[in-house]
Amino acid sequence: MQVCSRQGWRVIYQRLIRLLIGIIFIWNVISVGWLNPTSKVCWAALPVGDAVNPMSILRLALPVDNEAIQTLHQYLEEMPPQLEDPAARLQPKQWFEIGNKVTQIIQTFNKDASDLLAAIPPSFRPQALVRMNQINAALADLKILSDQQNKEKFVARRTQAWNSVDLLAASMEPQIPVNIPNDYQTLPQLKGRAVVVLDTSKGPITMMVDGYNAPITAGNFLDLVQREFYDDLTFTREDGAYVVQTGNPGGAQAGFVDPETSQYRSIPLEVRVKGDSEPVYGATLEELGLSDPVLPFSAYGTVAMGHPAGDPNGGSSEFFFHLFEPELTSAGLNLLDGQYAVFGYVVAGQDVLAQLRHGDHLHSARVVDISPPNGFTLRYLDWILVQKSPMPLA
């Protein structure tokens, strides 16, 4: 019988400590009111191992069946994982392979450009042409940066190219029909994608907001952003390697009160399950006997709307970032999937998110792009509808 060495016991001890920390974090989340402490554990289908690239989740969540778009997205994904690790160094051979991949993307984009434009409704083509020019310029820069082996700038430019491809795809569908219950028809809705930049005391964070799969949750968030509701708030919660939360204005009413009606605006829990044509409302996936959400808590920087304990339909303005940690969020056992409405992912500024602590400031939140241009249904974004071109990404 093989006896475990002292070093082996040390590894086992460290893993047990990490598991204990994970249990403490999850119970802490339950105890402060994010999760209902009487609820049963929800066994959801989660990716095993490390966090998933958020752009991969967003690509799979697009309700757009366009082969050229899918190919561009996949090419941008199929690059060495060391690009995602700030501490990792790429070897010259890897840069050579990256350069070849970028050349492939450029050739594919040039070959399919006319087909891509033809897939856009005529009224959206002026905006689509701007996006295609953005993509073309970004791909040219990526080739130069791969030749220069400039990792930091390459990663940032790839994210911008990715966002432009995503928004181009979103403009291919003028409206995705979603059967929103009558009780919620008066709430703001986003039926498309939007890019929001948060200016924090630690630096900028860029989010891709998905209204295809969470139209009310995303629409509510965009409405509050446009009202400047989130400006000059603080981050009120931070649990090391688990969550960062903000959106509470303080005072007696922890949420948004519509100045026109003097009523607290609450939004229902909204989660779309894979294979379904529309989200389910008003109940957790566990209560409905469902699993496998389209927008899971599987990426570092998953953004979701909070709600009071035991009241999944009581969310209003507070939202949180999930800091995916494999040893704290066990694969196959996730207390968050289906319990909270995910409505977007951090696509740039993950290093800034990692630095945020309780008491840090959210200076402002701004919508910098949206697609399709008529995807948001509320008067506070009328300025977007008359834009001749999308604003530059941060």
Side-chain angles (χ1 to χ4, degrees), residues 17 20 39 41 107 116 140 147 154 165 206 229 258 267 277 306 316-317 341-342 352 361 382 384 386 391-392:
I17 291 296
L20 178 61
S39 66
V41 172
Q107 291 172 346
L116 288 169
D147 292 340
F154 183 93
V165 171
T206 303
F229 177 87
D258 192 325
I267 59 172
S277 60
S316 181
S317 63
V342 174
V352 174
H361 291 278
D382 284 347
I384 284 183
V386 298
M391 299 172 67

Side-chain angles (χ1 to χ4, degrees), residues 41-94:
V41 172
C42 177
W43 293 88
L46 277 182
V48 177
D50 293 335
V52 178
N53 189 312
M55 297 307 296
S56 300
I57 298 175
L58 288 164
R59 173 179 66 83
L60 294 172
L62 266 174
V64 176
D65 185 17
N66 183 282
E67 185 176 351
I69 285 289
Q70 294 289 340
T71 300
L72 289 172
H73 267 305
Q74 288 174 343
Y75 280 162
L76 287 166
E77 288 179 48
E78 293 170 355
M79 292 189 182
Q82 289 85 351
L83 281 172
E84 314 299 333
D85 182 358
R89 295 188 62 181
L90 292 164
Q91 301 301 316
K93 181 180 178 180
Q94 290 174 305

